[in-house]
């Protein structure tokens, strides 16, 4: 009888130890639902800036208060001017307040400028010149990203004369 209790105790201890180890993985990977945004940027005026980068970015808030939620690699004047077809992939599902074309000088990131936005009148520039340029009313149009879908037609007109 004593052996039977010892055996049962050992089995119970093993089950408890195995149960405690299950699901206790510190390297848990969270898989988020994502989708994409695509469109064409048309540059209507100006020349490519000698310094800094032109990128397309997506923001959950507008005006932006921090880093973008997604962005492209810097555009290349040799291949991406005067028009550039883009796709921003891997965006979390949800609604974004703005998709913008912006210029940023890596030497002075605080001096970044928005030079184009996706807005209700996609065939015209949505920015007013100024220091810094500001969005024309009604401002940027929001974009909804759905799981495993591409939200197409997010076309933007940008003006390189807005780069300082």
């Amino acid at each position: 009888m004593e052996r039977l209790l010892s055996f049962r105790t050992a089995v119970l201890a093993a089950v408890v130890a195995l149960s405690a180890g299950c699901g206790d993985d510190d390297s848990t990977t969270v898989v988020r639902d994502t989708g994409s945004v695509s469109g064409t940027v048309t540059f209507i005026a100006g020349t490519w800036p000698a310094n800094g980068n032109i990128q397309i970015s997506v923001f959950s808030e507008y005006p932006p208060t921090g880093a973008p939620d997604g962005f492209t690699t810097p555009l290349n004047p040799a291949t991406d001017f005067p028009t550039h077809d883009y796709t921003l992939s891997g965006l979390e599902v949800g609604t974004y307040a703005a998709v913008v074309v912006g210029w940023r000088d890596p030497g002075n990131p605080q001096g970044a400028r928005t030079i184009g936005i996706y807005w209700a009148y996609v065939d015209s520039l949505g920015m007013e010149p100024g220091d810094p340029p500001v969005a024309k009313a009604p401002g940027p149009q929001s974009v909804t990203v759905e799981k495993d879908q591409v939200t197409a037609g997010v076309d933007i007109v940008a003006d390189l004369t807005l780069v300082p």
Side-chain angles (χ1 to χ4, degrees), residues 20-30:
C22 291
D24 191 22
D25 185 0
D26 289 339
S27 64
T28 302
T29 302
V30 176

Side-chain angles (χ1 to χ4, degrees), residues 116-131:
I117 60 171
Y118 173 64
W119 73 317
Y121 311 103
V122 296
D123 59 343
S124 65
L125 181 65
M127 301 300 298
E128 293 282 356
D131 189 20

Side-chain angles (χ1 to χ4, degrees), residues 105-160:
D105 181 354
N108 179 19
Q110 300 305 318
R113 298 289 176 106
T114 298
I115 62 171
I117 60 171
Y118 173 64
W119 73 317
Y121 311 103
V122 296
D123 59 343
S124 65
L125 181 65
M127 301 300 298
E128 293 282 356
D131 189 20
V134 295
K136 291 180 182 178
Q141 185 166 322
S142 63
V143 175
T144 299
V145 173
E146 297 179 9
K147 180 180 176 183
D148 300 328
Q149 300 295 312
V150 176
T151 303
V154 182
D155 300 332
I156 304 169
V157 174
D159 184 349
L160 291 169

Side-chain angles (χ1 to χ4, degrees), residues 81-116:
F81 180 79
T83 62
H84 172 68
D85 294 327
Y86 73 94
T87 300
L88 280 163
S89 300
L91 298 172
E92 288 188 30
V93 169
T95 299
Y96 293 88
V99 181
V100 306
V101 177
W103 170 85
R104 184 175 76 92
D105 181 354
N108 179 19
Q110 300 305 318
R113 298 289 176 106
T114 298
I115 62 171

Side-chain angles (χ1 to χ4, degrees), residues 32-100:
R32 293 189 164 87
D33 293 334
T34 62
S36 303
V37 170
S38 72
T40 300
V41 175
T42 302
F43 294 96
I44 58 166
T47 58
W48 206 265
N51 66 331
N53 297 318
I54 304 287
Q55 292 178 275
I56 303 157
S57 302
V58 177
F59 292 95
S60 56
E61 296 179 358
Y62 192 85
T65 58
D69 296 280
F71 55 91
T72 64
T73 58
L75 304 186
N76 180 338
T79 57
D80 301 327
F81 180 79
T83 62
H84 172 68
D85 294 327
Y86 73 94
T87 300
L88 280 163
S89 300
L91 298 172
E92 288 188 30
V93 169
T95 299
Y96 293 88
V99 181
V100 306

